[in-house]
Amino acid sequence: MIAVHINGNVKQFEAKITILALMHKLDIVHNKIALEINKEIIPRSQFEFRLLENGDQIEIVTAVGGG
Amino acid sequence: MDLLNIGTRSIGSRLIIGTGKYKSFQETGRAIEASGAEIVTVAIRRTNLGQDVAAENLLDFIDLDRITLLPNTAGCYTADEAVRTLRLARELLDGHDLVKLEVLGDPNTLFPDVSQTLIAADRLVKDGFQVMVYTSDDPIIAKQLENLGCVAIMPLASLIGSGMGILNPWNLQIIIDNAKVPVIVDAGVGTASDAVIAMELGCDAVLMNTAISAANDPILMARAMKNAVISGRDAFLAGRMSKEVYRASPSSPITGVMPAANKNDKNN
């Protein structure tokens, strides 16, 4: 069991999962987001390899309307 | 053609618009279309977790073949936050390097924190970004930002979202006269005449959001702003006549005027 923080919310998973698996679980279209783990930007090309670790602080952002 | 050159890009429209505060993404898309803008700003925010896959995304309503996105740092109060936000934006937009830097100093006035802005601009330029920078109308700060390598200087005309128009044309004029990169009025435009005045002063472009999105008819206002920016630019290039204070000058010939037959006929 691991627990990670995603956009400030705690999420638990049975085991370590990849970012790509996380995207599927959260129903996120991954070409419309950018993601950082512990303030390090993770390139989209790494999503299928990078595993989430217990305690990771994950931020997922997208473009919204703004001036 | 009278193109606007910003960094390595050449842009056909001198109107840049924001995408915030519209009633719907459909309305945003139609306003962009009506404005003729080729650059539109977007903000970077946390995604809503748990939204369904079919949920609409702003990017689906913008013709990305025609429009250049300009990610901003709205809501950032430190250089660190601003740099972090734009690095995420670059990743989000597949290496896109043209960005709008704004570091705010106060949540009520949204006045820029120019010392943090200078720090962020320096770091972003060194990191390969093409930085368009929101700043105060202080000509010295404007020059310092240019010297750091910013590709456009974007002084406020008045407070963000206030619609108060151009409060200090004199400072803007000093900035314009001294700048070697485009000067773009960013913030404060309320209606079409404000945009015309900015362009007549010699601004290279105008950036606005609320003036369009908060109009009763945003689509019509988008068109009005398109025309205003074109009019103001043309008037600037044409060069206005000099002002003759208290000296009228008739436009019609003063010779060949038929004499009044009789003084008493005058009021007939």
Side-chain angles (χ1 to χ4, degrees), chain B residues 193-259:
Chain B
S193 53
D194 298 332
V196 175
I197 291 168
M199 295 305 293
E200 286 177 346
L201 284 172
C203 284
D204 295 278
V206 180
L207 194 164
M208 66 181 75
N209 187 336
T210 313
I212 296 174
S213 63
N216 285 336
D217 184 340
I219 312 305
L220 190 55
M221 187 58 89
R223 193 179 77 181
M225 292 301 186
K226 173 186 181 175
N227 292 329
V229 167
I230 291 170
S231 287
R233 177 67 179 173
D234 283 351
F236 169 73
L237 293 175
R240 62 153 298 153
M241 63 169 283
S242 61
K243 282 184 186 170
E244 301 291 344
V245 178
Y246 295 124
R247 268 190 59 205
S249 167
S251 303
S252 304
I254 52 172
T255 56
V257 177
M258 290 177 287

Side-chain angles (χ1 to χ4, degrees), chain B residues 130-142:
Chain B
Q130 298 193 41
V131 180
M132 300 171 68
V133 59
Y134 169 66
T135 184
S136 65
D137 62 6
D138 180 330
I140 307 302
I141 298 294

Side-chain angles (χ1 to χ4, degrees), chain A residues 3 9 12 15 26 29-31 33 43 48 50 52 59 61 65:
Chain A
N9 300 306
Q12 294 189 321
L26 297 177
V29 184
H30 68 276
N31 65 356
I33 60 107
E48 57 181 309
R50 175 71 180 254
L52 304 186
E59 290 288 337
V61 300

Side-chain angles (χ1 to χ4, degrees), chain A residues 47-61:
Chain A
F47 281 12
E48 57 181 309
F49 308 114
R50 175 71 180 254
L51 287 168
L52 304 186
E53 302 287 340
N54 193 41
D56 275 349
Q57 302 280 339
I58 300 161
E59 290 288 337
I60 306 174
V61 300

Side-chain angles (χ1 to χ4, degrees), chain B residues 117-154:
Chain B
T117 302
L118 286 161
I119 293 167
D122 188 40
R123 286 166 60 189
L124 289 165
V125 168
K126 285 176 177 155
D127 196 11
F129 286 94
Q130 298 193 41
V131 180
M132 300 171 68
V133 59
Y134 169 66
T135 184
S136 65
D137 62 6
D138 180 330
I140 307 302
I141 298 294
K143 189 42 107 177
Q144 289 173 348
L145 288 164
E146 180 182 337
N147 290 342
L148 286 174
C150 292
V151 297
I153 306 301
M154 305 202 292

